[in-house]
Amino acid sequence: MTDYKAYSGRLKPEFITAAAAAYSRYKSEMSGFRRKVMDNDKWYKCNYGHLIKPGSNEPGPATAFIANAIFNRYADFIDCFPVPNILERTPDYTETAKKLRDIIPVLLDMTEFKSKYKRNCYNKMKNGSGIYGVFYNEEERRIEVTVVDILDFFCDIRIKDIQDSQFIFVRNAVDNELLREKYPGYAALFQGGCTIEGREGNYRADDRTEVIDCYYKKPDGTVHMMKLVNESVVIDATEDIEGYENGLYAHGMYPFVIDNMYPDDDNVMGFSLIDITRNPQMYIDKLDAAILKNAMLSSHPRWLIKDTGGINKKEFADMTKEVISSATDVDEKNIKMFQVNSLPSFVREHREKKIEELKEISGNRDWNNGGTTGGVTAASAIEALQNTGQKLSRANIDDTYDSYKRIIYMIIELVREFFVRKAVYRITDENGRRSFIEFSSSEMYGPERDVFGFLSGKRRRAEFDVAVVPQKENPFTSEANNRTINELWSAGYFMPQNMELSIMALRCMSFDSRDKLIDMMQEYIDTHGDTKQNSGEEAGGERMIEIPLRGTQKNGSTDGAELSASAPEGGEMNEV
């Protein structure tokens, strides 16, 4: 007999049994990966001596080259923090896309997405993946983006995309009192004693009970969720709740996004930066141990004393004794220093080569950290070296942007589904000016027409594309952008009579705030009318603006031709 009510919902017993069996299978298949995650955390914290020498408690040397590589790559991720740019697919929804561009960053700020992004940047470099959860909080009526602990996440590890997994399980340790209040019919189940797995070891929580959120897809494409206690007892299920006939969310996707550091064909979780660098790190530390041991032995010389030499060994070993007694003559026959030879130079050279190997593998070269050789101090030269050494970072960041796009697509669909009521949002632009806009999901639909062009009475979904704009915060990048603007100013790009041609040239360039600059120049032209005549007559002369084409070479020659445009009163352009 049980002290709680039996489940009597729509879920069949055989389906619940199959879900429990899948949970056990997923845990078994992911056990090796989970052990690796725990080991990697020790490598990250430089607490891995027992991993190099199993069964030994000797601390041994531990250098932080891996941690430094992670810190440096983390800085690259933060320098290029992603910002969404929502683009309409049809001109009918240009205004809606503009509102979404303003509103979605506000929704991300409300859920403190930047802190979640930072945390998962560390997680993917340590563990191989950072896992995001994208949910709608019905009580607070807002979108939430969460970080899911990789040790509490279980899926079919052999698939390529988690959307193809039959089940997804997320393990939670929930307070007993909260569970008893929400599910009084199952109060007898909530006895605590939950085992919580941590990187440093497991511990027991007597005031918490393990609750497993089981997500699954039905043949009709809808995603549902049920809550399990003791791995097999259902205490809640969306299929039994009114309003969830179309699944947990209308978009029909598991509300999770896995952001891999490096992809792995045999593991949907990928592999990490630590996975590819810990072997070189291990050999560096072994060489360190040999060098340190040799140094310690060399700094404390040992002595060979003849048993019948008559020297008082106790007094000889006591460094506080100023006088040492001896029963015989003291010569090399009775006492001799035992000096340890220094290690050959190739040992230290090999250690340096292993360090260089580790830096090369991790992409953590000196110039990535701001260090230079040969007296390079100019910001432009430092930036050029950094950009050369950041190819690996750019590839990782591009993969992160792909995951970020999936998050934004999910948010757009949640806005479409739940933001039915009109709400007001405060928007702050780049110049700090505040404005308020109204929005509801009705703006994401439009009238649908039949094949003859007549209104059909149905609503047509507006579709949007997502582009990612990096919010660069690197001081050297800012300095380079400022220098670019100064060079454009010196070249005459901002002179009123040159602006139309300047816009043509700027559209062929690529630098931060280029589009903003073009918009400002176009606004100036629209406001002041014919800038050629107004400015040309007042200036009393002309100033040439040189626009080099793509074929321009370093020595000033061109593969084809070079245009030099001026703005005389006739508005003609001379070709040289």
Side-chain angles (χ1 to χ4, degrees):
M1 294 290 294
T2 59
D3 296 330
Y4 56 87
K5 66 177 183 179
Y7 173 75
S8 59
R10 298 180 181 178
L11 298 178
K12 297 180 179 179
E14 53 267 25
F15 177 77
I16 299 173
T17 303
Y23 178 63
S24 298
R25 177 166 57 89
Y26 291 172
K27 280 203 305 183
S28 175
E29 291 176 350
M30 295 184 69
S31 59
F33 173 77
R34 290 156 57 78
R35 283 194 300 270
K36 186 187 71 171
V37 168
M38 295 178 185
D39 288 346
N40 283 357
D41 188 73
K42 294 178 174 59
W43 283 89
Y44 170 69
K45 296 176 180 177
C46 297
N47 186 26
Y48 51 84
H50 65 285
L51 299 176
I52 296 178
K53 283 186 174 183
S56 172
N57 294 323
E58 186 178 348
T63 50
F65 288 112
I66 288 180
N68 181 261
I70 289 176
F71 297 154
N72 182 65
R73 192 69 60 88
Y74 170 79
D76 291 337
F77 281 118
I78 301 307
D79 281 345
C80 297
F81 180 73
V83 176
N85 184 21
I86 314 301
L87 305 172
E88 67 281 5
R89 291 187 182 177
T90 58
D92 298 339
Y93 301 102
T94 300
E95 186 62 27
T96 303
K98 183 178 182 301
K99 286 187 177 182
L100 288 173
R101 278 197 294 272
D102 294 332
I103 291 171
I104 288 180
V106 175
L107 300 178
L108 290 172
D109 285 342
M110 291 174 62
T111 191
E112 298 181 348
F113 176 75
K114 192 167 188 176
S115 64
K116 317 289 176 56
Y117 171 83
K118 290 179 178 179
R119 183 175 169 188
N120 263 345
C121 286
Y122 276 122
N123 287 338
K124 65 186 291 185
M125 287 186 284
K126 293 192 302 178
N127 307 326
S129 291
I131 305 176
Y132 295 94
V134 186
F135 307 99
Y136 179 73
N137 188 321
E138 295 185 2
E139 295 180 357
E140 300 183 10
R141 297 177 60 188
R142 66 186 181 91
I143 292 172
E144 290 184 347
V145 180
T146 64
V147 175
V148 181
D149 193 334
I150 203 168
L151 292 179
D152 292 327
F153 186 87
F154 302 89
C155 68
D156 188 348
I157 202 170
R158 303 302 177 191
I159 57 176
K160 308 297 181 185
D161 185 349
I162 61 164
Q163 297 300 330
D164 298 329
S165 184
Q166 183 183 9
F167 297 95
I168 287 181
F169 301 93
V170 179
R171 187 173 56 188
N172 305 280
V174 186
D175 185 86
N176 294 331
E177 294 302 322
L178 294 177
L179 290 172
R180 290 168 186 155
E181 181 180 346
K182 190 170 184 178
Y183 306 104
Y186 297 92
L189 285 173
F190 312 133
Q191 299 300 318
C194 173
T195 300
I196 299 177
E197 289 185 274
R199 270 69 173 175
E200 299 296 335
N202 301 341
Y203 63 94
R204 178 185 173 91
D206 293 328
D207 60 340
R208 297 185 183 187
T209 298
E210 181 179 275
V211 178
I212 301 168
D213 293 340
C214 172
Y215 298 82
Y216 58 94
K217 282 189 177 181
K218 297 185 68 177
D220 61 3
T222 58
V223 171
H224 286 271
M225 189 263 284
M226 60 180 173
K227 289 183 178 290
L228 301 173
V229 175
N230 295 338
E231 299 187 8
S232 60
V233 180
V234 177
I235 62 173
D236 201 358
T238 55
E239 289 197 57
D240 301 328
I241 303 175
E242 184 180 355
Y244 287 92
E245 292 79 11
N246 295 322
L248 185 64
Y249 298 124
H251 56 57
M253 295 181 285
Y254 289 127
F256 301 102
V257 174
I258 294 182
D259 183 13
N260 291 134
M261 184 66 183
Y262 301 109
D264 187 347
D265 291 337
D266 295 326
N267 188 344
V268 71
M269 296 297 179
F271 60 97
S272 69
L273 185 62
I274 295 179
D275 292 333
I276 62 175
T277 54
R278 60 183 182 181
N279 278 342
Q281 176 75 73
M282 178 182 65
Y283 287 113
I284 291 170
D285 291 333
K286 285 185 175 182
L287 290 170
D288 265 346
I291 293 172
L292 286 173
K293 187 173 183 179
N294 181 260
M296 294 297 294
L297 292 175
S298 298
S299 62
H300 293 83
R302 303 173 68 188
W303 296 84
L304 296 174
I305 300 177
K306 193 174 182 180
D307 288 339
T308 58
I311 299 175
N312 190 319
K313 299 177 183 178
K314 186 176 181 180
E315 292 179 354
F316 184 81
D318 189 352
M319 301 299 294
T320 63
K321 295 288 185 180
E322 296 183 2
V323 178
I324 301 172
S325 58
S326 175
T328 60
D329 295 336
V330 179
D331 54 23
E332 291 186 356
K333 293 181 179 180
N334 297 322
I335 184 171
K336 186 177 181 181
M337 180 185 293
F338 182 79
Q339 186 67 44
V340 176
N341 295 328
S342 299
L343 291 174
S345 60
F346 76 83
V347 175
R348 290 180 174 81
E349 292 173 0
H350 188 63
R351 176 182 177 275
E352 293 299 321
K353 290 180 180 179
K354 297 300 290 186
I355 293 174
E356 291 300 315
E357 176 188 344
L358 178 57
K359 289 181 178 180
E360 195 70 37
I361 293 172
S362 63
N364 191 34
R365 308 299 302 173
D366 292 340
W367 53 72
N368 293 109
N369 297 318
T372 60
T373 57
V376 179
T377 57
S380 58
I382 294 175
E383 183 191 17
L385 287 173
Q386 287 182 329
N387 287 333
T388 301
Q390 288 177 349
K391 291 184 291 185
L392 297 178
S393 293
R394 288 196 294 270
N396 295 142
I397 291 169
D398 189 66
D399 293 339
T400 297
Y401 287 175
D402 291 339
S403 301
Y404 180 78
K405 284 183 182 180
R406 292 194 288 272
I407 294 173
I408 300 302
Y409 277 122
M410 285 187 181
I411 291 176
I412 290 175
E413 293 307 316
L414 292 178
V415 169
R416 190 196 305 275
E417 181 178 1
F418 295 104
F419 286 45
V420 178
R421 297 181 181 179
K422 184 169 289 188
V424 178
Y425 300 88
R426 185 187 66 206
I427 308 299
T428 304
D429 62 17
E430 294 180 354
N431 299 319
R433 293 191 296 264
R434 294 178 180 176
S435 60
F436 295 88
I437 60 175
E438 293 184 345
F439 182 82
S440 71
S441 60
S442 61
E443 299 181 43
M444 304 175 72
Y445 295 91
E448 185 174 308
R449 297 181 182 273
D450 58 23
V451 293
F452 301 104
F454 298 104
L455 295 177
S456 64
K458 299 179 180 179
R459 293 197 307 172
R460 178 166 59 95
R461 287 166 47 97
E463 301 295 341
F464 303 94
D465 293 319
V466 177
V468 180
V469 180
Q471 181 181 324
K472 294 186 178 179
E473 300 178 356
N474 190 317
F476 291 109
T477 301
S478 300
E479 173 64 23
N481 289 333
N482 294 339
R483 188 172 59 255
T484 299
I485 299 300
N486 288 332
E487 291 173 354
L488 293 174
W489 175 273
S490 300
Y493 275 64
F494 301 131
M495 294 191 68
Q497 67 268 27
N498 294 336
M499 280 194 177
E500 292 185 359
L501 292 173
S502 298
I503 290 175
M504 294 170 57
L506 289 172
R507 293 189 190 280
C508 301
M509 299 181 185
S510 178
F511 57 89
D512 287 349
S513 302
R514 184 206 65 169
D515 293 337
K516 180 181 177 182
L517 180 61
I518 291 174
D519 292 341
M520 293 170 63
M521 295 173 69
Q522 188 62 56
E523 181 181 354
Y524 182 89
I525 293 174
D526 296 340
T527 303
H528 293 78
D530 192 349
T531 56
K532 295 180 181 180
Q533 293 184 2
N534 296 341
S535 300
E537 293 175 359
E538 294 175 4
E542 304 173 3
R543 179 172 179 179
M544 303 287 287
I545 173 172
E546 296 185 355
I547 308 176
L549 295 181
R550 186 184 297 260
T552 305
Q553 299 175 353
K554 290 183 179 180
N555 59 6
S557 63
T558 60
D559 297 334
E562 182 174 310
L563 289 182
S564 179
S566 63
E569 289 187 9
E572 299 176 355
M573 183 172 68
N574 302 319
E575 183 174 344
V576 179

